[in-house]
Amino acid sequence: MIKIKDIVQYLEAMAPLAYQEDYDNAGLLTGSGDTPVTGVLIALDCTEGVVQEAKNKGCNMVISHHPVVFKPLKKLTGSNYVERTVIKAIQNDIALYSSHTNLDNVSHGVNMRIANKLGLVNTRILRPKSNNLGKLTTFVPVENTDTVLSALHAAGAGMIGEYKNCSFLLEGTGTFLPTGSANPSIGQNGVLEKVRENRIEVIFPLHIKSKVMSALVEAHPYEEVAYYLHSLENTDKQTGTGMIGELINPMKPEDFFVMLRKQFNCGCIRHTEIVKSHVKSIALCGGSGSFLVPDAIKHQADIFVSADFKYHDFFSAESKIIIADIGHYESEQFTKELLYEHLREIFPNIALHFTEVNTNPIHYA
């Protein structure tokens, strides 16, 4: 029997909560993880209408990209749509879950889906995050090295970009003198022991540190495991904001706009002066991405596709790049497909539904 916590665990392995921005509120917002799942409704936003639709369809879980509870709730009186949505969910035992900026900030997340819709190749994160990684150094008898390494890799250590099971080994001699009530796996009390050991170094995402350390202690043969940890300033090319890639064939900006309108069903595209005869390098960010214009210029993108630009934000193009604002909802609408496809693969027997409610609050006259 699939429970809400099973879906939550999978979603947070796909897009760890540690990767959300500090202003965000992703995760399980209402409901108990121990509740069996009757069905899941997937939406970009969670509103009263979406919760009612979930009830009508027999779904007791709503997964949305945007968290309905974004700012702290000081009361629940139904005075606004956020409070009414939360009250309605609780009254009907419907769990609300959000995968927001954490899903934006993984390489296989929201921005990759946008890049795929545009047919981009050679994609990479526009502004990679730093200080996400740690390094574990430990010392293991040579004959136990493979066992310990396998455990560390199974826990998630040793991933560098598209490479897995990465490590560094250096053989040397370890010494120790068991004393008191020590119960050494090698040697005996009161006798100095010298052991051929491998120094193992592996990199890991900091949010799985406890998992990696548990794997080390469980797999290591020693009673007392020698190790040390470092936080790294390295950029993590698998996490970060925005994305950049290339069109297979350059396009005239006007033709690119036509493709944008068709692919994203845009009511309109607000854009800066057309300063490029052709565009090939495309930077993008789902949702509000004006803060990434300097990054797009730095990477010599021809055009930056995002949303929520204010009047003065457009001046930041500096005639070096074309800014194209396609709308917040329009830029992130395919997040629903992304979530559906991942959940369908892992939970094929759960009823999954796309919302039929149009939650876009913006209309065009």
Side-chain angles (χ1 to χ4, degrees):
M1 180 180 296
I2 303 300
K3 296 183 178 180
I4 287 171
K5 64 183 178 183
D6 298 319
I7 294 180
V8 168
Q9 182 178 7
Y10 170 72
L11 290 173
E12 292 178 3
M14 179 178 75
L17 292 182
Y19 293 157
Q20 70 177 313
E21 302 297 331
D22 56 11
Y23 58 77
D24 202 4
N25 191 38
L28 187 63
L29 305 179
T30 71
S32 168
D34 291 323
T35 303
V37 177
T38 61
V40 175
L41 184 66
I42 300 172
L44 190 67
D45 309 282
C46 187
T47 64
E48 296 167 81
V50 170
V51 173
Q52 182 63 49
E53 181 185 15
K55 179 183 177 182
N56 295 344
K57 291 182 174 178
C59 299
N60 65 346
M61 186 175 190
V62 174
I63 299 174
S64 65
H65 183 46
H66 299 133
V68 64
V69 181
F70 196 70
K71 298 178 180 179
L73 288 176
K74 297 183 178 180
K75 58 183 179 179
L76 280 173
T77 62
S79 63
N80 56 56
Y81 89 93
V82 173
E83 293 179 14
R84 291 191 297 271
T85 301
V86 173
I87 290 171
K88 193 176 190 70
I90 293 173
Q91 287 176 335
N92 291 280
D93 294 323
I94 294 174
L96 304 182
Y97 184 89
S98 167
S99 189
H100 190 209
T101 53
N102 51 318
L103 190 58
D104 292 331
N105 286 337
V106 291
S107 61
H108 51 275
V110 174
N111 292 310
M112 179 58 83
R113 181 50 56 110
I114 298 171
N116 290 342
K117 291 293 180 180
L118 294 175
L120 302 187
V121 296
N122 190 28
T123 54
R124 61 269 188 208
I125 288 179
L126 185 60
R127 183 189 286 182
K129 284 186 176 293
S130 58
N131 301 306
N132 267 358
L133 301 172
K135 185 178 75 170
L136 166 67
T137 302
T138 189
F139 307 88
V140 185
V142 170
E143 60 270 22
N144 300 106
T145 298
D146 288 345
T147 299
V148 172
L149 268 179
S150 294
L152 293 174
H153 292 154
M159 288 289 297
I160 301 178
E162 296 298 324
Y163 296 84
K164 61 185 298 186
N165 296 356
C166 301
S167 66
F168 176 78
L169 300 178
L170 181 65
E171 187 174 330
T173 301
T175 65
F176 51 87
L177 177 65
T179 62
S181 59
N183 183 28
S185 59
I186 297 176
Q188 55 186 335
N189 283 18
V191 177
L192 181 66
E193 191 68 34
K194 296 182 179 181
V195 181
R196 287 177 58 240
E197 293 180 340
N198 274 322
R199 172 190 174 114
I200 296 176
E201 296 183 5
V202 288
I203 290 176
F204 62 93
L206 284 174
H207 72 273
I208 65 167
K209 181 174 74 172
S210 61
K211 184 179 179 182
V212 169
M213 293 308 300
S214 294
L216 171 65
V217 171
E218 184 175 343
H220 204 289
Y222 286 172
E223 183 179 27
E224 296 288 348
V225 180
Y227 69 90
Y228 51 90
L229 297 167
H230 285 108
S231 295
L232 303 178
E233 295 184 5
N234 305 44
T235 55
D236 181 1
K237 295 182 180 180
Q238 297 302 303
T239 63
T241 314
M243 188 156 283
I244 186 169
E246 285 80 44
L247 295 168
I248 295 176
N249 297 305
M251 300 177 67
K252 291 182 178 180
E254 296 84 358
D255 294 334
F256 183 78
F257 289 154
V258 170
M259 181 180 72
L260 270 180
R261 281 194 292 270
K262 180 179 179 181
Q263 289 290 80
F264 293 86
N265 193 26
C266 303
C268 72
I269 297 176
R270 299 191 302 151
H271 64 84
T272 55
E273 178 187 4
I274 296 178
V275 294
K276 306 279 185 174
S277 61
H278 289 79
V279 296
K280 181 175 177 64
S281 178
I282 313 297
L284 59 90
C285 178
S288 304
S290 61
F291 66 99
L292 287 172
V293 171
D295 298 85
I297 293 174
K298 175 184 174 182
H299 287 85
Q300 299 182 324
D302 298 313
I303 191 166
F304 180 49
V305 179
S306 191
D308 295 347
F309 285 83
K310 297 180 180 179
Y311 176 82
H312 290 285
D313 292 334
F314 285 97
F315 286 104
S316 64
E318 298 276 4
S319 298
K320 298 177 181 177
I321 193 171
I322 302 170
I323 292 173
D325 184 332
I326 65 173
H328 195 121
Y329 178 92
E330 288 79 3
S331 70
E332 295 185 325
Q333 61 186 296
F334 300 111
T335 305
K336 294 178 289 183
E337 289 181 3
L338 174 69
L339 290 166
Y340 181 93
E341 290 171 9
H342 279 275
L343 290 171
R344 172 56 64 222
E345 181 179 357
I346 304 301
F347 303 102
N349 297 321
I350 289 181
L352 297 176
H353 302 271
F354 289 116
T355 182
E356 297 177 38
V357 177
N358 180 4
T359 62
N360 189 355
I362 299 172
H363 299 267
Y364 300 94

